[in-house]
């Protein structure tokens, strides 16, 4: 009897120690390269090529190779900055649509070899790939299939003798390549060896993509291939910097090809996708992909860059952030500052993982090797999983005292597939559960931002999953508020708006020029300021008590009574206090002017002019005359005239002062415009009064 008992105990013991099988893979799976690629998360794109020197976005292909002439190429600086910014790799535009090759290719004369730069001995691909290796970064290549220079473009020979050969050269001579980037823009007008015509190709079949892929597989088996259609990494379907919240790594891949029209589906992927093709978010620090001096003041702000990060890396996509070097061959200091500010803030955001010190438990586990502790052990290869038949379950993290949390980071163990379809995050505050977020997909990584909650516990629940959830990592943070100057604006009616960034903060302001840190009132919404005045504002982090730098804006008289002559509603856009809207006055020939009735007589001693701020700015005035009149009929001589110096390169607010004069009507006359067209574009016109 005792023997039997012993045997039974032993059997139970053996049974409970028995290794529970790991979950079976579910659905399409990533390759090893794809997992490695997804783990890189944040990479740099560098658009540097002929367009940098012609100030273009798309060159025609007719450019003289001598035009490419960086005075002081410094690929080391690019790599150093990218490394410091926390990026893991750099992708270079080795050839853009204009066909100019940054390496001494044998396939064409349209390359660095035929330019006077370094007497034809230069090789940007080599310099950057070396710099990447030096700084421990991976290196990738953008090779435009479309070639507006090449005479053979459109024929089969272009593919066999030019495009594929170029690919072979790039994949053979520059060490390990982690990603090859094929753009979807294909065919159209171009130089084409002097033909200067339009050449259309069948985007789906012309390049014979399977042949192209074979070359990559053979020469760089570890590289991933990017295009609208993958096959390994897909475009996210926009160049604005976001993936959708619901974002599958899966795609019905055969429905796509580079340049295919159904690209909007790429922003979410397909729940029922047939292949693993994760999304990559490509976006530039500036409006353009290439460097234009006129965009130096339009480098994305820290809040914009943070949104991009959280909407890409935080939504199961890699971020490929473009930094366009100047013609000198350096990154511009504004881009460098922006990148450094971003990496500093990200380090702050993810400084202390609050999940690590918590008591963690699961509502259900698959077996003891798959427990909740695996979520916070810092090991990406261990995971929490439920039994095969259970497709939901909760994790509770308990703090030893109420703790502020405003970031939630979670990762699925993607080698076994993407499974989760719906999840929630709740916080226990004063003994009650509150819902913090109700979301859909997770994938490789999902990061949620929310209002800080002072929580006793956090509960993460997988509500729906295609198969048992397999979650490898969970992190919690309390990110500080973004402490940059708030944005202060006033509309035509005199209503002042102050915009802060993130709700973690409060705004304090004064409207009498005094210090908002000491004297400020809490901003609870827009307020009216019809008179002249200085508004100062500051952001305060509610939880740390820290202040941002102070924003200080000088407002002149309110524009409520102003009217643009013959402008109607559209004319208001030139005087609405919003730099993002503008009014275009079109004439038959230059000069072109805009007349504003100020509605009352004022003592005027100057004016301000903000040209159109969009990417393709129109109507930027160069030489000007400015008039003040008492009756709007007799204008006399200009009160001031001159040139808005450097406005083409730097289209920022222009301020001009003159001898004070009384008047009710003002006229800004564009004697010339930067593109010589008879169009005057005004984002905002203002006066300076005594
Ligand atoms: C686009 C291209 O046409 C742009 O010039 C740029 O290279 C961007 C990354 O892809 O589709």
């Amino acid at each position: 009897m005792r023997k039997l008992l012993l045997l039974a105990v032993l059997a139970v013991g053996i049974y409970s120690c028995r290794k529970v099988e790991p979950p079976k893979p579910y659905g399409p799976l990533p390759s090893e390269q794809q997992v490695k690629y997804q783990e890189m998360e944040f990479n740099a794109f560098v658009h540097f090529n002929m367009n940098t020197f012609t100030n273009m976005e798309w060159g025609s292909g007719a450019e003289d190779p001598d035009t490419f002439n960086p005075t002081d190429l410094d690929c080391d600086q690019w790599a150093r900055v990218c490394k410091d910014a926390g990026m893991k790799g750099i992708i270079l535009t080795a050839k853009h649509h204009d066909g100019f090759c940054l390496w001494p290719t044998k396939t064409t004369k349209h390359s660095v070899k035929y330019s006077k730069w370094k007497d034809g001995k230069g090789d940007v691909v080599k310099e950057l790939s070396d710099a990447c290796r030096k700084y421990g970064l991976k290196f990738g290549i953008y090779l435009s299939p479309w070639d507006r220079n090449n005479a053979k473009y459109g024929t089969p020979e272009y593919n066999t003798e030019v495009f594929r050969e170029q690919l072979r050269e790039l994949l053979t001579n520059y060490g390990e390549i982690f990603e090859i980037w094929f753009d979807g823009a294909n065919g159209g007008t171009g130089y084409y060896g002097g033909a200067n015509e339009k050449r259309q190709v069948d985007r789906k079949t012309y390049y014979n993509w399977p042949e192209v892929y074979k070359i990559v597989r053979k020469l760089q088996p570890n590289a991933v291939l990017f295009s609208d259609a993958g096959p390994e990494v897909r475009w996210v379907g926009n160049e604005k910097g976001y993936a959708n919240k619901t974002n599958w790594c899966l795609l019905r891949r055969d429905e796509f090809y580079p340049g295919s029209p159904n690209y909007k589906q790429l922003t979410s992927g397909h729940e029922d996708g047939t292949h693993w093709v994760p999304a990559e978010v490509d976006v530039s620090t500036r409006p353009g992909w290439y460097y234009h001096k006129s965009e130096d003041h339009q480098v994305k702000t820290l809040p914009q860059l943070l949104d991009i990060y959280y909407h890409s890396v935080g939504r199961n996509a890699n971020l490929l952030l473009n930094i366009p070097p100047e013609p000198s061959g350096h990154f511009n200091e504004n881009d460098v500052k922006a990148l450094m500010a971003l990496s500093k803030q990200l380090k702050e955001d993810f400084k202390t993982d609050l999940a690590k010190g918590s008591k963690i438990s699961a509502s259900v586990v698959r077996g003891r090797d798959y427990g909740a502790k695996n979520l916070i052990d810092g090991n990406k290869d261990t995971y929490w999983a439920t039994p095969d038949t259970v497709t939901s379950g909760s994790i509770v993290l308990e703090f030893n005292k109420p703790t502020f949390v405003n970031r939630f980071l979670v990762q699925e163990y993607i080698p076994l597939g993407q499974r989760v379809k719906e999840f929630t995050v709740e916080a226990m505050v004063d003994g009650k559960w509150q819902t913090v977020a109700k979301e859909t997909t997770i994938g490789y990584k999902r990061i949620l931002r929310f209002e800080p909650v002072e929580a006793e516990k956090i509960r993460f629940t997988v509500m729906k999953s295609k198969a048992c959830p397999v979650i490898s990592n969970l992190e919690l943070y309390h990110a500080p508020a973004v402490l940059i100057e708030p944005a202060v604006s006033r509309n035509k009616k005199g209503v002042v708006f102050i915009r802060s960034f993130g709700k973690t903060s409060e705004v304090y302001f004064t409207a009498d020029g005094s210090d908002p840190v000491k004297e400020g009132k809490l901003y609870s919404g827009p307020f009216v300021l019809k008179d002249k005045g200085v508004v100062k504002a500051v952001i305060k982090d509610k939880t740390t008590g820290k202040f941002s730098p102070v924003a200080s804006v000088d407002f002149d008289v309110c524009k409520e009574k102003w009217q643009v002559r013959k402008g109607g509603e559209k004319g208001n856009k030139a005087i609405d206090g919003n730099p993002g809207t503008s009014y275009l006055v079109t004439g038959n020939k230059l000069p072109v002017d805009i007349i504003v009735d100020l509605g009352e007589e004022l003592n005027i001693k100057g004016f301000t002019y903000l040209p159109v701020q969009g990417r393709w700015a129109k109507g930027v005035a160069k030489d000007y005359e400015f008039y003040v009149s008492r009756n709007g009929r007799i204008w006399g001589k200009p009160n001031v005239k001159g040139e808005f110096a450097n406005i083409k390169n730097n289209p920022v607010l222009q301020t001009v002062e003159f001898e004070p004069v009384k008047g009710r009507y003002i006229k800004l006359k564009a004697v010339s415009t930067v593109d010589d067209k008879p169009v005057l574009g005004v984002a905002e016109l203002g006066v300076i009064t005594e």
Side-chain angles (χ1 to χ4, degrees):
M1 189 62 196
R2 276 187 61 184
K3 257 190 183 169
L4 255 175
L5 203 71
L6 207 71
L7 269 174
V9 169
L10 220 67
V12 171
I14 290 169
Y15 181 78
S16 61
C17 288
R18 201 187 61 171
K19 256 191 122 42
V20 179
E21 286 294 308
K24 295 234 160 23
Y26 185 89
L29 301 176
S31 65
E32 229 174 272
Q33 292 95 302
Q34 284 174 314
V35 174
K36 282 204 182 115
Y37 160 81
Q38 288 186 264
E39 286 171 356
M40 292 174 76
E41 298 185 5
F42 183 21
N43 297 317
F45 215 177
V46 173
H47 275 66
F48 180 73
N49 206 303
M50 188 56 91
N51 293 330
T52 312
F53 300 86
T54 52
N55 203 21
M56 301 277 284
E57 280 289 307
W58 280 14
S60 72
E63 298 78 16
D64 180 345
D66 278 346
T67 310
F68 181 88
N69 196 10
T71 44
D72 180 25
L73 182 70
D74 190 356
C75 293
D76 256 43
Q77 183 228 14
W78 308 355
R80 197 169 57 239
V81 168
C82 292
K83 182 79 184 182
D84 286 352
M87 294 158 153
K88 298 291 186 306
I90 302 182
I91 299 179
L92 172 71
T93 49
K95 179 182 94 170
H96 202 251
H97 312 327
D98 57 62
F100 188 76
C101 297
L102 292 183
W103 76 105
T105 173
K106 294 199 178 85
T107 59
T108 170
K109 291 194 165 167
H110 204 50
S111 86
V112 282
K113 194 171 166 190
Y114 295 85
S115 88
K116 61 180 175 224
W117 176 60
K118 294 196 173 175
D119 295 325
K121 301 210 167 54
D123 184 345
V124 186
V125 181
K126 170 110 180 47
E127 290 198 31
L128 185 58
S129 57
D130 287 350
C132 281
R133 259 184 292 280
K134 179 168 160 195
Y135 287 92
L137 294 166
K138 295 191 181 181
F139 180 60
I141 293 280
Y142 172 121
L143 179 67
S144 170
W146 186 19
D147 190 324
R148 301 173 97 183
N149 169 267
N150 207 282
K152 293 182 185 146
Y153 184 79
T155 67
E157 290 73 42
Y158 167 75
N159 280 316
T160 49
E161 294 162 21
V162 183
F163 181 50
R164 284 184 221 155
E165 265 317 296
Q166 293 178 341
L167 186 62
R168 280 194 193 94
E169 290 175 353
L170 289 167
L171 300 185
T172 312
N173 300 327
Y174 300 97
E176 174 124 335
I177 304 291
F178 82 98
E179 180 170 350
I180 296 126
W181 220 93
F182 292 127
D183 191 71
N186 276 313
T189 56
Y191 172 71
Y192 303 125
N196 288 310
E197 60 188 14
K198 192 166 181 182
R199 292 192 183 169
Q200 225 59 58
V201 297
D202 182 338
R203 294 162 183 224
K204 205 167 174 178
T205 55
Y206 173 59
Y207 299 99
N208 194 349
W209 288 113
E211 276 308 305
V212 178
Y213 299 164
K214 264 192 223 156
I215 296 172
V216 178
R217 300 273 175 272
K218 184 160 165 244
L219 298 175
Q220 293 279 347
N222 293 326
V224 288
L225 265 153
F226 168 100
S227 82
D228 295 9
E232 274 112 23
V233 178
R234 73 173 198 264
W235 183 41
V236 78
N238 67 73
E239 295 180 350
K240 296 202 179 96
Y242 70 92
N244 282 340
K245 288 183 178 182
T246 299
N247 182 18
W248 294 96
C249 291
L250 312 177
L251 192 69
R252 296 189 298 270
R253 195 171 70 184
D254 297 342
E255 295 176 12
F256 291 85
Y257 51 89
S260 54
N262 47 348
Y263 64 91
K264 289 212 170 111
Q265 297 173 21
L266 299 172
T267 319
S268 279
H270 295 139
E271 184 176 335
D272 61 352
T274 49
H275 293 83
W276 189 271
V277 196
E280 180 179 271
V281 170
D282 62 319
V283 60
S284 186
T285 52
R286 294 161 174 255
W289 289 101
Y290 280 93
Y291 178 81
H292 309 291
K293 189 150 185 45
S294 61
E295 292 178 353
D296 278 354
H297 69 302
Q298 288 180 316
V299 173
K300 292 194 169 69
T301 61
L302 178 59
Q304 287 172 321
L305 291 171
L306 282 168
D307 279 351
I308 287 173
Y309 183 86
Y310 281 104
H311 294 166
S312 53
V313 177
R315 290 186 182 170
N316 187 31
N318 278 31
L319 172 55
L320 184 64
L321 182 61
N322 180 64
I323 312 114
E326 297 178 353
S328 66
H330 288 255
F331 283 166
N332 178 267
E333 60 176 329
N334 295 359
D335 300 86
V336 176
K337 271 193 208 140
L339 284 181
M340 292 307 115
L342 174 66
S343 82
K344 183 165 170 255
Q345 186 72 37
L346 289 175
K347 277 187 198 131
E348 289 284 318
D349 282 13
F350 301 108
K351 197 157 155 191
T352 313
D353 178 6
L354 302 164
K356 286 246 153 66
S358 71
K359 214 172 100 200
I360 190 164
S361 58
S363 64
V364 49
V365 296
R366 184 178 185 87
R368 59 175 194 174
D369 288 345
Y370 308 99
K373 284 231 156 57
N374 291 345
L375 291 169
I376 53 171
D377 65 356
N379 181 345
K380 65 183 170 60
D381 295 318
T382 61
Y383 45 80
W384 164 62
T386 62
D388 283 339
T389 49
V390 181
T391 53
S392 61
S394 292
I395 295 290
V396 173
L397 301 110
E398 189 177 341
F399 302 121
N400 48 26
K401 61 172 196 310
T403 302
F404 276 111
V405 180
N406 62 0
R407 297 285 185 279
F408 175 85
L409 184 156
V410 63
Q411 296 187 268
E412 284 187 76
Y413 183 68
I414 55 168
L416 294 179
Q418 186 179 351
R419 299 156 177 248
V420 175
K421 287 164 59 141
E422 199 181 305
F423 71 98
T424 59
V425 179
E426 294 157 288
M428 182 175 276
V429 181
D430 295 332
K432 285 201 196 92
W433 285 114
Q434 304 180 348
T435 303
V436 167
K438 189 166 183 306
E439 296 289 333
T440 52
T441 54
I442 296 176
Y444 165 71
K445 188 177 267 190
R446 190 72 203 274
I447 314 172
L448 305 179
R449 292 186 288 182
F450 46 86
E451 282 288 284
V453 278
E454 200 171 6
E456 288 129 38
K457 298 178 188 176
I458 294 285
R459 182 160 67 191
F460 160 61
T461 306
V462 174
M463 311 283 285
K464 285 189 196 154
S465 183
K466 288 176 167 182
C468 70
V470 183
I471 311 289
S472 67
N473 186 33
L474 199 157
E475 297 170 20
L476 299 171
Y477 296 93
H478 180 215
V482 178
L483 292 179
I484 67 161
E485 290 182 10
V488 182
S489 63
R490 184 176 71 174
N491 72 11
K492 193 166 180 289
K493 293 205 166 108
V495 183
V496 178
F497 299 84
I498 307 179
R499 205 156 47 86
S500 63
F501 307 97
K503 292 179 187 151
T504 323
S505 52
E506 292 171 329
V507 173
Y508 289 86
F509 76 99
T510 60
D512 60 3
S514 59
D515 182 358
V517 174
K518 293 196 193 108
E519 324 267 342
K521 272 206 301 198
L522 181 66
Y523 175 77
S524 55
F527 60 93
V528 174
L529 176 74
K530 299 242 175 179
D531 300 327
K532 283 176 75 157
V534 182
V535 174
K536 292 191 175 178
V538 73
I539 299 178
K540 181 180 178 187
D541 185 335
K542 273 196 260 184
T543 45
T544 62
K546 283 191 189 157
F547 286 96
S548 72
V550 174
S552 174
V553 181
D554 253 304
F555 290 109
D556 212 287
V557 291
C558 167
K559 298 177 182 173
E560 195 170 17
K561 297 181 197 152
W562 292 25
Q563 252 176 348
V564 173
R565 189 181 277 179
K566 296 193 203 135
E569 264 310 298
K570 280 190 186 157
N572 272 341
K573 294 192 171 150
I575 49 175
D576 62 358
N578 182 352
T581 60
S582 51
Y583 175 54
L584 297 182
V585 193
T586 308
N588 294 328
K589 57 180 186 359
L590 282 163
V592 182
D593 60 40
I594 178 170
I595 294 174
V596 182
D597 175 359
L598 308 178
E600 65 189 323
E601 194 160 271
L602 297 169
N603 216 356
I604 302 169
K605 63 165 186 178
F607 77 96
T608 56
Y609 164 61
L610 183 72
V612 180
Q613 296 294 296
R615 181 165 175 191
W616 313 111
K618 269 193 185 159
V620 179
K622 201 167 78 192
D623 294 293
Y624 67 86
E625 290 173 2
F626 189 83
Y627 301 78
V628 180
S629 159
R630 295 192 100 136
N631 56 19
R633 277 177 282 114
I634 302 163
W635 293 96
K637 283 205 186 120
N639 295 70
V640 64
K641 61 180 190 177
E643 181 194 13
F644 296 126
N646 200 30
I647 196 166
K648 183 172 182 198
N649 287 332
N650 198 16
V652 294
L653 185 75
Q654 311 288 313
T655 303
V656 180
E657 297 211 17
F658 48 81
E659 277 302 303
V661 55
K662 274 197 170 38
R664 170 174 165 165
Y665 298 86
I666 56 169
K667 172 157 73 179
L668 172 65
K669 184 188 276 184
V671 178
S672 70
T673 56
V674 296
D675 57 6
D676 292 325
K677 296 212 171 100
V679 179
L680 169 60
V682 184
E684 203 61 28
L685 190 64
V687 292
I688 307 168
T689 60
E690 276 224 299

